Amino acid sequence: MNIGHTYESMARLVHAQTGKYPTAEGMSGAYRAAISNPTVRPLAAAPTGLDITYEDGGWAEFCTANGVFEHIFKGAGPTDGRTREAWDDRVSEALALIHEIDPSLRLMVDLLVTDLVVLNSGADGGGSASQLPGVVVMSPGKKWRVLDYAMCLVHEAMHLNLFVGDMVYGTFTLSSRELDADQYRALSTVKIGQRRPLDKAFHAAIVTVPLMFMEHHQGKTTLVDLYTIPLRDACLDLKKQHEHFTTYGRMLLDELCAFGESIDFKAVARAISSPEYVGYLPVAA
């Protein structure tokens, strides 16, 4: 959740795909070109901007045919122009709100989220996947406010950020399939009381941090009150699996656990753009 580190991770991915080192100014275009390679994802990213599609778009067709995000697409019905215009307006307002909360946080979303699929399935949530960099699926709740749209976008962008970091550095010493085993499960921060595969539990814990931060910034406490104790419990449980994290993964885990102990939102605000969090073992990936 640091803009400099996001740039570094993306640059390493671009170099791995193309053999070229992108500049900061050219990062967005270089990243979009790299992930548009058919070996990375099936549909190319637009050169710029956020491409919003719906239940009849190319991504919806691909995901439905391949069983991706089944829990979100299930129940999605046709939508009319007025509904889509309203969603587009809320997304635009949400992006503006993210910028108001922190311009670097908005930049992370702009860099990482290239495609957004909006549906009316009733799932009241979002989704992203490691095999589809840049893609976010969202099914807004009927009572969602602009802040809910904003938190959903940031939540999924942070998942995408973790996926990129995992691709270039590696987070765990075991594969995702191996981590499904019962002995590697850890407490979930969001699905309170449940034990999930280590990688999913780790992701869930990390992405609660920006949600709590954004809500706190807006003078609200619902998620802060809900997640504070479960996050601390999850961190204690995750640390028991310390040996299954790579050196990079341990760095992320340590930062997460430090926040879990302090719930220091000033530290989060500083971390988003602070140079001290930019680099990690600056050698060729």
Side-chain angles (χ1 to χ4, degrees), residues 102 213 216 259 262-274 276-277:
D102 192 293
F213 168 73
H216 172 78
F259 172 77
S262 67
I263 311 297
D264 184 351
F265 293 111
K266 289 183 180 179
V268 176
R270 184 177 70 252
I272 290 173
S273 56
S274 174
E276 67 185 290
Y277 293 101

Side-chain angles (χ1 to χ4, degrees), residues 208-261:
T208 60
V209 177
L211 302 186
M212 295 167 72
F213 168 73
M214 293 174 71
E215 190 187 67
H216 172 78
H217 185 278
Q218 296 297 293
K220 303 181 184 300
T221 65
T222 302
L223 295 181
V224 177
D225 295 339
L226 179 64
Y227 292 148
T228 293
I229 293 176
L231 177 59
R232 287 173 177 161
D233 291 343
C235 285
L236 290 172
D237 214 32
L238 287 165
K239 285 197 286 188
K240 295 176 183 177
Q241 305 271 10
H242 197 261
E243 65 191 278
H244 303 303
F245 287 80
T246 63
T247 304
Y248 177 74
R250 292 173 187 174
M251 179 191 72
L252 298 181
L253 178 62
D254 291 344
E255 291 295 336
L256 170 67
C257 293
F259 172 77
E261 293 173 3

Side-chain angles (χ1 to χ4, degrees), residues 13 17 30 45 55 65 83 90 106 112 150 178 182-183 192 202 204 216 243-244 249 254 263 267 276 278:
L13 181 60
Q17 285 291 322
E55 77 284 346
T83 299
R90 296 296 85 75
R106 165 68 188 273
L112 290 157
E178 290 173 310
D182 288 344
Q183 66 263 36
I192 299 171
F202 184 55
H216 172 78
E243 65 191 278
H244 303 303
D254 291 344
I263 311 297
E276 67 185 290
V278 173

Side-chain angles (χ1 to χ4, degrees), residues 32 41 43-46 48-60 63 69 72-73 84 86-95 98 109-110 112-119 125-128 132-140 144 148-157 160:
R32 286 165 181 261
R41 51 177 250 183
L43 302 177
T48 61
L50 179 62
D51 189 18
I52 304 178
T53 56
Y54 312 95
E55 77 284 346
D56 55 355
W59 279 116
C63 291
F69 306 123
I72 302 177
F73 278 92
R84 295 180 180 188
W87 280 337
D88 290 355
D89 289 343
R90 296 296 85 75
V91 170
S92 179
E93 292 167 2
L95 291 170
I98 297 168
V109 173
D110 289 343
L112 290 157
V113 184
T114 63
D115 299 85
L116 175 64
V117 186
V118 192
L119 308 163
S128 50
L132 296 177
V135 180
V136 167
V137 175
M138 174 193 294
S139 178
W144 273 24
D148 295 303
Y149 282 84
M151 290 196 296
C152 183
L153 286 169
V154 171
H155 175 105
E156 299 305 338
L160 294 174

